[in-house]
Amino acid sequence: MSPFLLFALVFCSQLMAAFNTPLPPATYGDHVSILSIDGGGIKGIIPATVLIYLDNALKAKDPRTSLADYFDVISGTSTGGLMTLMLAAPNSSHSHQPLYTPSEVVQFYKKNGPEIFPSHFLSCPKYDGEFLKGKTVELLRETRLNETLTNVVIPTFDEKKIQPVIFSNYKLKTESYLNAKLSDIGLGTSAAPTYLPPHPFQNDGVQFDLIDGGLAANNPAMAAVSEVIQEHNGENEILLLSLGTGIPKPKDKLGNIFDDACQVFWLSSHTQVFYEAMFSTGITHYYLATIFPALLPADNYLRIQEYNLPPSMNEMDDASKKNMDNLEKVGKGLLTQKVKRMNVNTFEPFELDHTNAQALDRLAEKLYAERQLRLKRKSMEKGGRPFIKTV
């Protein structure tokens, strides 16, 4: 065999191995990367649409990889938790391909949204949740937390114990009872009070009575950062992409919050839960906007959120075709908007000089470079030839 042919075979084998290799642990790199997705029901179409852009930017560099090959942690609450599982669960046993791509997630919402939130509903909760339960079990099968393609952090809330429950791969080292089926975790974090029934189940002898993770952390970014800090002891810089599901203009935020009789009934019978949730949630974005300029590079934190969502689009269960199409347009429109950062004194966002799409392009460069660095260092540690960077 000629030396040239031998080199070509070695190069190709390394290339294909790199394409099919999971992201090496953060100990081989310089950064820990986090993707965080807020709760918001059918409004999950907005962050899913934004993720299509990032997924395409990364696939342009390496078409065989998915988001799970670039993020050390994918975190989500409620609808964001379900999306997290779609992006991080394997599509079959012994596969490193995810259950869904972001584009397929959007199609999932548009196809199944009307069945999850039908136009006819009960009194309280509004929906029986049977379709969502059946679809979640069908997709996630018997897959458990320890089988995800990358680490996940999914907040839920136990209404009997009156405390948050955070399902995290990092916690499995000491809390084995958290190694639940992904279907139970997904149904628990998305069980929004007044909309869907609680999700009780047992795992490893422990009883869970879960309701929407939004009562613990509707924006799960801080929970994910906390898990990473505990795991890595601040040895790596954090890269954080946090995606919102849209909020209305300030004057429209509170609206007629107690006009729904179902909401009034739930609040009256769950006073302790409500007060605990009030103290557990709140100003996540404020904390992160403060932490990153002080302790980490500000550019390592990107928050993409629609701050002027039309009130008509703010209902988490409006699964009409018109509304879902409009939510998709909002997601696409966010890409052309300027990046916004929070003024930590006024809580008002202010614009930077580049768009969200440009910021996602820069993030894709960082994520790709980090992956290449880890592959190279891991290869060299094993005494092999350094991985030759792909073009």
Side-chain angles (χ1 to χ4, degrees):
M1 183 179 294
S2 70
F4 176 79
L5 181 57
L6 179 61
F7 171 80
L9 289 174
V10 170
F11 175 81
C12 289
S13 65
Q14 287 191 349
L15 185 62
M16 294 308 296
F19 277 144
N20 294 293
T21 300
L23 180 67
T27 51
Y28 291 97
D30 294 337
H31 300 86
V32 180
S33 50
I34 302 172
L35 166 61
S36 176
I37 310 168
D38 288 11
I42 200 65
K43 295 190 297 177
I45 289 174
I46 295 174
T49 302
V50 172
L51 282 177
I52 292 174
Y53 185 90
L54 178 61
D55 188 49
N56 288 337
L58 291 168
K59 279 185 166 57
K61 302 176 183 299
D62 190 334
R64 295 284 295 276
T65 54
S66 67
L67 292 177
D69 293 310
Y70 291 97
F71 285 100
D72 293 290
V73 176
I74 302 180
S75 181
T77 295
S78 195
T79 193
L82 288 172
M83 198 183 310
T84 293
L85 297 178
M86 292 180 186
L87 298 172
N91 64 6
S92 63
S93 300
H94 309 296
S95 169
H96 194 69
Q97 294 301 313
L99 195 62
Y100 278 72
T101 65
S103 179
E104 291 168 338
V105 169
V106 172
Q107 295 310 309
F108 175 90
Y109 277 107
K110 298 181 81 170
K111 177 181 178 181
N112 297 290
E115 296 292 336
I116 297 172
F117 302 117
S119 56
H120 57 282
F121 48 80
L122 309 174
S123 56
C124 190
K126 286 186 175 182
Y127 312 103
D128 62 21
E130 288 302 314
F131 179 85
L132 178 60
K133 181 177 181 179
K135 183 60 68 173
T136 303
V137 171
E138 173 193 334
L139 291 175
L140 297 171
R141 304 178 300 279
E142 299 295 311
T143 309
R144 292 186 176 270
L145 181 59
N146 66 343
E147 299 175 276
T148 53
L149 300 177
T150 189
N151 300 297
V152 302
V153 175
I154 298 179
T156 65
F157 198 91
D158 194 306
E159 67 171 353
K160 296 291 178 65
K161 298 173 183 175
I162 319 294
Q163 65 185 32
V165 180
I166 308 295
F167 288 92
S168 164
N169 297 72
Y170 295 133
K171 293 185 182 298
L172 296 182
K173 298 173 184 177
T174 57
E175 314 296 333
S176 59
Y177 67 93
L178 291 175
N179 191 29
K181 292 180 182 178
L182 298 185
S183 58
D184 284 323
I185 298 172
L187 291 168
T189 192
S190 61
T194 77
Y195 290 94
L196 293 164
H199 183 64
F201 67 94
Q202 280 194 354
N203 187 62
D204 199 22
V206 176
Q207 177 66 33
F208 295 91
D209 296 278
L210 301 183
I211 55 177
D212 194 339
L215 292 179
N218 197 56
N219 177 347
M222 198 67 196
V225 169
S226 297
E227 289 291 301
V228 165
I229 290 173
Q230 292 177 69
E231 177 69 15
H232 297 284
N233 299 314
E235 295 174 357
N236 302 69
E237 284 189 5
I238 294 174
L239 285 175
L240 172 61
L241 171 61
S242 175
L243 303 178
T245 56
I247 55 177
K249 297 176 182 179
K251 65 179 182 180
D252 299 317
K253 284 183 181 178
L254 295 179
N256 300 317
I257 188 171
F258 295 119
D259 281 0
D260 192 311
C262 185
Q263 292 176 344
V264 173
F265 172 78
W266 186 85
L267 289 172
S268 66
S269 59
H270 291 75
T271 304
Q272 191 176 5
V273 177
F274 181 72
Y275 283 125
E276 177 66 18
M278 286 291 290
F279 288 113
S280 297
T281 59
I283 51 177
T284 296
H285 186 30
Y286 166 81
Y287 293 142
L288 293 168
T290 304
I291 287 172
F292 273 80
L295 303 178
L296 294 163
D299 287 343
N300 282 15
Y301 173 41
L302 175 60
R303 172 72 169 170
I304 299 181
Q305 171 74 297
E306 174 53 68
Y307 293 97
N308 294 296
L309 191 70
S312 61
M313 299 169 62
N314 197 41
E315 295 297 328
M316 62 168 282
D317 60 340
D318 182 358
S320 64
K321 183 179 185 305
K322 177 181 178 181
N323 189 58
M324 291 191 292
D325 288 344
N326 285 336
L327 291 170
E328 189 174 9
K329 290 177 182 177
V330 169
K332 292 178 179 178
L334 276 171
L335 297 171
T336 62
Q337 287 186 22
K338 294 292 182 66
V339 173
K340 294 183 176 66
R341 289 215 180 122
M342 176 188 285
N343 183 314
V344 296
N345 296 313
T346 66
F347 285 81
E348 292 293 327
F350 62 92
E351 292 185 346
L352 301 186
D353 62 357
H354 55 281
T355 66
N356 286 316
Q358 291 171 324
L360 288 171
D361 286 333
R362 295 175 186 177
L363 177 62
E365 292 286 348
K366 290 181 180 180
L367 292 171
Y368 181 72
E370 175 72 14
R371 176 174 167 81
Q372 296 299 107
L373 176 65
R374 294 189 194 182
L375 290 169
K376 178 180 178 180
R377 286 178 175 173
K378 186 174 182 181
S379 174
M380 293 178 70
E381 179 188 74
K382 292 181 177 180
R385 297 173 61 88
F387 173 68
I388 301 172
K389 185 174 181 180
T390 58
V391 178

